Amino acid sequence: MTERQWRGEWWIPGESEKSCSGTLHYAENGRLRLELIDGFDITIREPLPDGNGYSIKCETREVPIIHGTCNNEKFTLLDNNATHTSGPGIFEGSIAKQDWTSSRSLRGVHLKDLSEQIFIRAHLQLERLLHWSSRSTFKLERTTEEGKSPRDLKVSTQAVEPLIAIHNGVTISLRLRSTPFGYKHGTISNRRTLEAREWATLTINSSTAVAFNEFDEIEKDLQDLLTLSAYEPCGVLKRSIVFETSEAHPGSERHANEVDVMGRQVYRTEAASAGPHSRDLIFSLADMEFSDLIPRWIDLKSKARMGCNILFGLRYIERGYVGTRLLGVATAAESIHRSLRSASTPLTGAEYERIKQNLMSAVVGEPQEIQDFVKKGLRNNPTYNERLLELASIPSSDAVDTLLGDKDEWAKKLKNARNNLAHANERSQESDPSPAYLLLEVTYALICLVLMTELGVSSEAQKRAVQNERISGVSRQFKSTLNVGEA
């Protein structure tokens, strides 16, 4: 595992006179570790009543921010935790060595506190973003000149106009960048390579300066959109934010006013498996306009945030017992239905009120606790099974039929599995987890189709989506289990 290191001076804001030398380690998996020579005194002391000495509390003071300077580069470490402190007299503040972990590091700025509203822009590179954009700066043309082989290619680069979307005063753009073609000469290996690189970046521009955390939610929403589209977890490859320069924050020669954000991510592809991927996206910008898709997605995610967070969490963290994950997707299905079809009721409002009045009239002479029992038990809400069937009616019927086969059987299986798992019934402990896994996967796929429909993705694209290698494979196996059950 590769690791980057920065050696410099580190201190707690407001205590720069007590700075310590140390090294910041940044691992490939996003782990941040600060090793200090000496250290910060974080004990909490309370004077004794008689004035002779003090007592030391078990807890230590919080250090939300640590500043550092390494080769004229500024660092701000956030959410810090001291993991080890040693020294000849640590209770007296004599520390020889101290280790810290941090959730994130801002490379290029000293942030006094998280409430500082100085940031105006964020840049985000996501896995599969270039493929999802369905665009390229590379232009390949076959030679048509007389006497030349039709297999000859002319390769060049071209400028690609950025795509723009606006939502509630925030402008989001998708830009493609490329490097010029260059030669790599291998004189000893008898090889010469002509190569260039291209990549895609999402840029989020705020109309006003905001605090650092203000970009977190929209960046996570964009990551979830790629995870939905790719039907695979998509991690953050690179993230940076830009601040307004001022006397307090003048920027630096190396980074100007752009700050690299480092730290652990919700998901990151292991380097060993980051090569070419054969599976197709279930939809991309070839299916929808960027200017329409982004605002619709942000609104949809805001409307069904809890259910979507549970759903995509199943992709970002794919470990765990199948039963637990199946309960998660069953919960996500109910939550998303509640969010998207909150007005759905088994009875009309007028019918429900009429029946309610009749029932309440029948218990008028009963004790108050009986009347309260009847009143509290009356609900005009759909059952879990009805929610599932309505959810399955939202996408293209052809796509759903291809995915699930018998919708009623799917709904019954998921309802029973959810009830057994939620109530810890022994029936939920099956020796073979395969049926539960198939039920989990087809339900995940169905919810993806629901979200695609709400975004405005066409029926044709939905029918193409269920032909995705991963979806079609579990769909065939799931429908096979239904046929076995019917036999």
Side-chain angles (χ1 to χ4, degrees), residues 138-382:
F138 296 151
K139 185 177 181 182
L140 278 67
E141 300 173 291
R142 293 209 173 272
T143 301
T144 57
E145 297 179 28
E146 186 177 350
K148 290 193 175 183
S149 169
R151 292 181 299 174
D152 291 343
L153 288 175
K154 177 182 178 182
V155 184
S156 59
T157 58
Q158 59 187 355
V160 176
E161 289 296 315
L163 301 177
I164 307 294
I166 299 174
H167 182 268
N168 291 343
V170 175
T171 301
I172 303 165
S173 59
L174 173 62
R175 287 178 166 81
L176 269 59
R177 308 289 191 189
S178 63
T179 61
F181 283 97
Y183 279 110
K184 284 188 175 181
H185 296 275
T187 53
I188 295 177
S189 62
N190 190 35
R191 184 179 300 165
R192 182 182 298 131
T193 305
L194 177 66
E195 68 175 19
R197 292 185 302 107
E198 69 171 343
W199 65 95
T201 302
L202 288 164
T203 299
I204 306 161
N205 283 283
S206 175
S207 56
T208 59
V210 298
F212 166 69
N213 288 336
E214 289 294 317
F215 289 111
D216 283 358
E217 186 172 281
I218 192 169
E219 288 178 334
K220 179 61 168 58
D221 289 349
L222 293 172
Q223 181 182 2
D224 287 347
L225 175 59
L226 264 292
T227 295
L228 168 65
S229 303
Y231 207 72
E232 295 283 346
C234 292
V236 176
L237 297 172
K238 185 178 181 182
R239 181 188 176 197
S240 64
I241 51 177
V242 178
F243 60 86
E244 284 186 318
T245 55
S246 63
E247 185 176 345
H249 299 285
S252 64
E253 291 183 6
R254 178 174 295 187
H255 292 283
N257 59 337
E258 186 169 358
V259 176
D260 287 337
V261 181
M262 305 184 300
R264 286 187 181 272
Q265 304 292 340
V266 173
Y267 171 85
R268 179 177 289 177
T269 296
E270 296 293 334
S273 58
H277 212 276
S278 61
R279 292 178 179 137
D280 293 329
L281 306 173
I282 60 173
F283 76 98
S284 68
L285 290 186
D287 301 301
M288 280 196 71
E289 293 292 332
F290 184 82
S291 58
D292 295 329
L293 174 59
I294 296 300
R296 289 181 187 178
W297 171 248
I298 295 174
D299 287 339
L300 176 58
K301 183 72 188 297
S302 298
K303 191 175 183 180
R305 184 167 302 282
M306 179 60 73
C308 286
N309 287 345
I310 297 171
L311 183 73
F312 298 123
L314 297 171
R315 281 292 179 258
Y316 297 130
I317 304 174
E318 294 195 293
R319 300 178 301 277
Y321 292 109
V322 173
T324 305
R325 293 168 57 76
L326 178 58
L327 182 58
V329 79
T331 303
E334 181 177 17
S335 176
I336 288 174
H337 178 272
R338 286 181 182 274
S339 301
L340 302 183
R341 297 295 184 269
S342 58
S344 293
T345 55
L347 303 175
T348 65
E351 288 175 323
Y352 174 69
E353 285 301 322
R354 180 178 60 80
I355 293 174
K356 181 179 179 180
Q357 292 300 324
N358 290 341
L359 289 173
M360 293 308 300
S361 298
V363 295
V364 167
E366 299 291 338
Q368 187 60 45
E369 59 268 21
I370 300 298
Q371 297 184 44
D372 292 340
F373 175 80
V374 173
K375 184 183 296 185
K376 290 177 181 179
L378 291 173
R379 294 289 185 273
N380 193 22
N381 297 325

